[in-house]
Amino acid sequence: MNTLNLRNTLASIVAAVALLSATGCAVTRGQEPVGAYIDDSAITTAVKARFVENTEVDAAAISVETMKGTVMLSGFAKNQKEKDTAQSLTWKVNGVKAVKNEITVRP
């Protein structure tokens, strides 16, 4: 019976250490916490979805990356209106703190 208690105690300690170390983990993207990475992914997905829904923006031609709420747009637009529309749609997504619009207008 004593061995069983020791085994359960040891298992509990190992589980607790694993749980505590996992909550402090950071992903390699700039060492941001896992929760921030998930939020950034949600923002990126929401921005891309708005591009797909909008007929003025070619979602396939514009890349979206998010880091700590700052969204960077890159790629190519047919005209200035498409570039401006992409930026405007990005600002409408919850959680966006800043937008860096690096979209190039094709000549």
Side-chain angles (χ1 to χ4, degrees):
M1 187 76 161
N2 199 7
T3 305
L4 185 59
N5 285 340
L6 180 62
R7 180 184 250 168
N8 287 340
T9 302
L10 187 57
S12 296
I13 291 171
V14 168
V17 168
L19 181 62
L20 289 173
S21 64
T23 58
C25 285
V27 290
T28 54
R29 283 185 52 194
Q31 295 298 308
E32 54 184 310
V34 174
Y37 176 75
I38 292 170
D39 292 343
D40 286 343
S41 295
I43 291 170
T44 297
T45 301
V47 169
K48 287 181 179 181
R50 286 185 184 256
F51 290 176
V52 169
E53 293 169 355
N54 190 289
T55 58
E56 295 178 21
V57 176
D58 182 1
I62 299 174
S63 297
V64 180
E65 294 182 39
T66 308
M67 177 69 95
K68 297 180 182 177
T70 298
V71 180
M72 185 167 131
L73 305 175
S74 60
F76 298 96
K78 295 179 286 288
N79 51 45
Q80 187 64 41
K81 182 178 181 186
E82 181 181 9
K83 179 179 178 175
D84 294 342
T85 300
Q87 182 170 334
S88 175
L89 290 171
T90 302
W91 275 113
K92 293 179 181 178
V93 172
N94 287 338
V96 173
K97 296 176 183 173
V99 178
K100 292 183 180 180
N101 192 344
E102 301 293 328
I103 298 170
T104 302
V105 177
R106 292 183 189 150

